[in-house]
Amino acid sequence: QVQLVESGGGSVEAGGSVRLVCVASGAIASPTCLSWFHQFPGKEREGVAAISGGGTDYYADSVKGRAFISRDRDNRNTVYLEIQSLQPEDTGMYYCAALGGFCGARWPSPSNQETWGQGTQVTVSS
């Protein structure tokens, strides 16, 4: 079983940035696609970014150019998500998710994910 633990959320002013951390542990298959999802209050979860086992990254159109996902060089089961130029609409819970296999076209769908973390809250004030 895979466990995911997120950290790094907090309160940020608009225009600022945040770096979120997801640590995966347990029976992690190879390859595994690790993704970040955002849930604005009252809305459904939406895929933000994903990274494959080989390091290929994927982004939602809403964050392209201002979000960067990466794996830790020393511990590839640790994934970072940095989002720059934050806006109030970026407020919400950010969840890490794991999906066995390649990311491909499957990663943005919440229903495809096999494991979820508890999430970390990001609040962007204007």
Side-chain angles (χ1 to χ4, degrees), residues 2-4 9 19 27 31 33 43 45 49 60 63 71 80 85 100 102 106 111:
V2 177
Q3 293 83 42
L4 303 172
R19 190 190 197 207
C33 175
K43 301 285 189 180
R45 290 184 193 185
V63 298
R71 287 184 185 260
Y80 306 103
S85 302
F102 299 100
R106 301 182 301 157
S111 62

Side-chain angles (χ1 to χ4, degrees), residues 16-52:
S17 62
V18 68
R19 190 190 197 207
L20 307 179
V21 184
C22 171
V23 179
S25 61
I28 301 169
S30 180
T32 290
C33 175
L34 291 175
S35 304
W36 284 96
F37 285 76
H38 169 227
Q39 188 165 23
F40 190 84
K43 301 285 189 180
E44 295 184 355
R45 290 184 193 185
E46 294 183 339
V48 175
I51 189 164
S52 71

Side-chain angles (χ1 to χ4, degrees), residues 1-7 21-26 28 32-36 77-79 95-99 113-119:
Q1 197 168 4
V2 177
Q3 293 83 42
L4 303 172
V5 178
E6 305 95 332
S7 62
V21 184
C22 171
V23 179
S25 61
I28 301 169
T32 290
C33 175
L34 291 175
S35 304
W36 284 96
N77 292 329
T78 296
V79 173
Y95 297 92
C96 184
L99 168 62
Q113 308 306 314
E114 296 162 356
T115 304
W116 292 93
Q118 293 300 306

Side-chain angles (χ1 to χ4, degrees), residues 65-85:
R66 64 185 187 96
F68 305 94
I69 189 169
S70 60
R71 287 184 185 260
D72 188 277
R73 197 169 59 178
D74 297 321
N75 181 358
R76 298 190 59 76
N77 292 329
T78 296
V79 173
Y80 306 103
L81 177 68
E82 179 178 354
I83 309 176
Q84 302 173 351
S85 302

